[in-house]
Amino acid sequence: MDYLPIFVLVFSFVFFLSIGTPVAWSISIASLLTMLVSIPLLPSVTTVSQRMGTGLDSFALLAIPFFILSGQLMNKGGIAHRLIAFAKTLVGALPGGLALINVIGAMLMGAIAGSAMASASAMGSILGPEMEKEGYSKEFGAAVNITSSTLGLVIPPSNVLIVYSLASGGVSIAALFLAGYIPGILTGLFLMVLAYFWAKKKKYKLGEKSSLKNVVKTFFAALPSLLLLIIVIGGIVAGVFTATEASAVAVLYTLILGFVYKEIRTRDLPKILLESSMTTAVVMLLIGASMSMSWVMSYENIPQDITTSLLSISDNKIIILLIINLLLLFVGIFMDMTPAVLIFTPIFLPVVTKLGIDPVHFGIIMVLNLSIGLCTPPVGSVLFVGVGVAKTTIQKVIKPLIPLFLVMIFALLLVTYIPALSMWLPQLFNL
């Protein structure tokens, strides 16, 4: 086993990250330096550049800019307000009602918008001041918002699951979407239970109980937004359209909805399109760079070497999954989610498939695991958004975040070792 390519890849990547080089550039330069171990400079530069371009040559990737645009349209289109109003009628009168509303609202908003940062921004800006006014700790409210906002990455439609499908060599997107429902909802329920007991202990003020009439009224107000999930996921599962076509349908539907709600005007569209384009450009650059690194690792036989090394430690499924989860939790602290999925899927997928683990099940494990990293410093994008919206500091939020982290890790372990939580729905629909 040749350790030089692995050493060059890891050392150079960590070095460039540590001196503040942007992630996409760190990945690209590390890939180039690793290629130089085997071939001269000119072919190395040509190969890395070519692989960045061909890595983006995928029909499935068209879904990402469309889902990003639909998420922007939802964020501006008044959907968050209606989802929060509906959630308020369901759990607003319970201990920690506003925190529970935040979790339910974030699950719905994240699932519909497909963006953890959009969810954290929308929920935090709307519910944050209200929670503070009702006597909730600002830091507790921010911690609940930060952790619950990541659930939309597991609950479909999710751009990260599309990226995993690409990295895994074509695992069914429809199967991944269905597989994400139970783990995402289960994690949300665990967060709600913790928020409930925390609020009871702190004796936070209870909200008013809603009448059945108000529940029905807010449900019908939120129904057009909720229908998007049925249209998108139902259409994909039924085979009416592909994930890419579903993303285009989502844009059209949310645009119409924004005009119907009178929250989006024609003059708002250029700004929405520009913001979506900027986000898409960042994501696509990361994907292109990560795809080149994946190819370089494959060329240098790094995944095969790591597979051999891991399986030499143990052939016990429980031990190997525990090791992989610990490694991914560590990776999530320092790396953004999209490149992490693209780089580490080709490394770990051969290991788990040799142990008889379904690639769909492993995809949910990986995405749920890396979602936790979005809430951790120093690279946690959702952490920074949540703290910024709450107008507090990371140091103050860490204390209430720790119990929520532990709850998410417990949910991760359940999803890891009980495959039926991920596989029941895909098997039910024969996917």
Side-chain angles (χ1 to χ4, degrees), residues 247-319:
S247 64
V249 170
V251 169
L252 181 62
Y253 185 84
T254 49
L255 182 61
I256 294 169
L257 208 57
F259 283 116
V260 169
Y261 284 158
K262 297 181 180 176
E263 300 275 353
I264 294 177
R265 294 175 292 276
T266 307
R267 66 173 178 268
D268 298 326
L269 292 179
K271 186 181 178 184
I272 291 170
L273 290 168
L274 181 61
E275 288 175 356
S276 301
S277 301
M278 289 167 66
T279 305
T280 300
V282 171
V283 172
M284 289 302 182
L285 179 60
L286 280 169
I287 290 173
S290 302
M291 291 298 285
S292 72
M293 182 177 273
S294 293
W295 188 90
V296 168
M297 288 192 300
S298 177
Y299 179 80
E300 298 290 352
N301 289 319
I302 291 173
Q304 293 90 327
D305 291 342
I306 292 175
T307 300
T308 305
S309 299
L310 278 174
L311 292 176
S312 68
I313 296 171
S314 173
D315 58 358
N316 187 312
K317 191 186 296 187
I318 294 171
I319 300 296

Side-chain angles (χ1 to χ4, degrees), residues 128-397:
E130 197 171 336
M131 291 177 81
E132 203 175 343
K133 191 168 67 180
E134 294 293 331
Y136 286 74
S137 153
K138 182 188 286 188
E139 288 71 33
F140 171 68
V144 171
N145 182 39
I146 289 162
T147 48
S148 60
S149 294
T150 62
L151 300 177
L153 301 172
V154 186
I155 302 170
S158 164
N159 286 337
V160 184
L161 290 175
I162 295 170
V163 170
Y164 172 79
S165 172
L166 177 72
S168 62
V171 172
S172 166
I173 294 174
L176 287 167
F177 278 6
L178 283 178
Y181 273 114
I182 294 175
I185 293 169
L186 182 70
T187 309
L189 288 173
F190 286 159
L191 291 175
M192 290 172 71
V193 169
L194 182 64
Y196 174 90
F197 284 110
W198 183 293
K200 209 167 183 181
K201 181 184 175 184
K202 299 286 184 180
K203 295 183 170 59
Y204 289 141
K205 184 179 174 182
L206 298 178
E208 294 179 8
K209 194 172 181 180
S210 293
S211 63
L212 180 61
K213 181 181 177 183
N214 200 27
V215 173
V216 172
K217 182 183 174 183
T218 56
F219 170 72
F220 278 106
L223 185 60
S225 309
L226 297 171
L227 277 176
L228 179 64
L229 286 174
I230 297 169
I231 293 168
V232 171
I233 307 302
I236 294 170
V237 172
V240 177
F241 36 64
T242 65
T244 305
E245 292 162 349
S247 64
V249 170
V251 169
L252 181 62
Y253 185 84
T254 49
L255 182 61
I256 294 169
L257 208 57
F259 283 116
V260 169
Y261 284 158
K262 297 181 180 176
E263 300 275 353
I264 294 177
R265 294 175 292 276
T266 307
R267 66 173 178 268
D268 298 326
L269 292 179
K271 186 181 178 184
I272 291 170
L273 290 168
L274 181 61
E275 288 175 356
S276 301
S277 301
M278 289 167 66
T279 305
T280 300
V282 171
V283 172
M284 289 302 182
L285 179 60
L286 280 169
I287 290 173
S290 302
M291 291 298 285
S292 72
M293 182 177 273
S294 293
W295 188 90
V296 168
M297 288 192 300
S298 177
Y299 179 80
E300 298 290 352
N301 289 319
I302 291 173
Q304 293 90 327
D305 291 342
I306 292 175
T307 300
T308 305
S309 299
L310 278 174
L311 292 176
S312 68
I313 296 171
S314 173
D315 58 358
N316 187 312
K317 191 186 296 187
I318 294 171
I319 300 296
I320 293 295
L321 283 173
L322 183 61
I323 292 170
I324 289 173
N325 268 322
L326 289 171
L327 289 170
L328 287 174
L329 284 169
F330 180 75
V331 164
I333 294 172
F334 298 101
M335 191 182 289
D336 197 38
M337 204 164 179
T338 299
V341 168
L342 285 165
I343 291 166
F344 289 94
T345 298
I347 291 175
F348 293 135
L349 192 58
V351 180
V352 297
T353 49
K354 278 194 176 183
L355 295 172
I357 295 162
D358 194 288
V360 172
H361 177 209
F362 182 67
I364 302 303
I365 294 171
M366 179 174 253
V367 171
L368 184 56
N369 189 313
L370 293 171
S371 295
I372 299 171
L374 296 177
C375 313
T376 58
V379 188
S381 52
V382 178
L383 173 66
F384 294 121
V385 170
V387 165
V389 169
K391 295 181 174 64
T392 183
T393 63
I394 292 172
Q395 291 82 355
K396 290 178 180 177
V397 170

